[in-house]
Amino acid sequence: ASLATEASPDAASSTHASVKPKPVSADKHGVADDAAAESRRVAAALGAKQLHALDSLLIRAGSRKPEAFADARKRCSRLEVAGLQGWRLPSLDELRTLRRARMLPDGEYWSTSRARGTMLFTLSRNLTRPQERERSDSQDVQALCVRLR
């Protein structure tokens, strides 16, 4: 766990200051659980190019290997990057935004947007033109993981 230190009250009377650990609120990974600490983790991950950001959205490139929707959703929900959790698949609108910002690599990507029944929308970006398609959730498609900052 993360610990802050403070000198004990009797430190002035001793030639060696004793240090008493003072617990700080921490998450299950021992990281200080406050907005400033999370901002530092985000900045470090962006600097290390582990993540990309667009406005309030953080983007983690997914596997280039296509996978079924349930597997992609599970992988994103379990993802942890630089101590950051809470990842998910993007909506179709978020994929469109990433495409317009030229931040969507070539390929076809899952969205969480339902088309009809068990069909889901995917967005395909290729050199000719982007396409939105309806796919069965059992088909294999690539995935990006996103979360809010």
Side-chain angles (χ1 to χ4, degrees):
S2 292
L3 297 175
T5 59
E6 68 179 24
S8 68
D10 63 342
S13 64
S14 171
T15 56
H16 298 288
S18 67
V19 177
K20 180 172 83 176
K22 176 183 171 187
V24 173
S25 172
D27 65 13
K28 71 178 187 175
H29 303 286
V31 178
D33 190 19
D34 64 348
E38 182 164 292
S39 292
R40 287 190 296 275
R41 290 193 307 267
V42 167
L46 289 169
K49 299 191 185 292
Q50 294 174 303
L51 304 174
H52 299 284
L54 179 64
D55 299 325
S56 64
L57 196 64
L58 295 175
I59 304 103
R60 171 66 176 195
S63 167
R64 297 294 289 172
K65 179 182 168 196
E67 56 194 330
F69 178 79
D71 294 334
R73 185 177 56 198
K74 184 187 299 183
R75 186 175 51 75
C76 285
S77 71
R78 293 180 176 171
L79 182 64
E80 183 176 318
V81 180
L84 301 169
Q85 299 175 323
W87 297 90
R88 60 178 172 76
L89 291 171
S91 69
L92 185 57
D93 285 339
E94 289 168 331
L95 285 173
R96 289 175 184 143
T97 300
L98 292 171
R99 183 189 70 218
R100 282 191 300 272
R102 300 186 187 278
M103 294 180 71
L104 189 65
D106 286 348
E108 183 176 10
Y109 296 92
W110 282 118
S111 82
T112 55
S113 302
R114 292 267 173 209
R116 55 188 160 85
T118 61
M119 301 294 279
L120 291 140
F121 279 113
T122 64
L123 187 118
S124 175
R125 181 186 172 276
N126 57 38
L127 297 175
T128 56
R129 67 182 191 134
Q131 296 180 331
E132 294 174 11
R133 298 182 177 141
E134 293 182 18
R135 296 280 189 194
S136 163
D137 61 3
S138 63
Q139 289 181 284
D140 289 343
V141 176
Q142 292 173 261
L144 291 175
C145 301
V146 300
R147 66 160 271 178
L148 295 178
R149 275 190 190 211

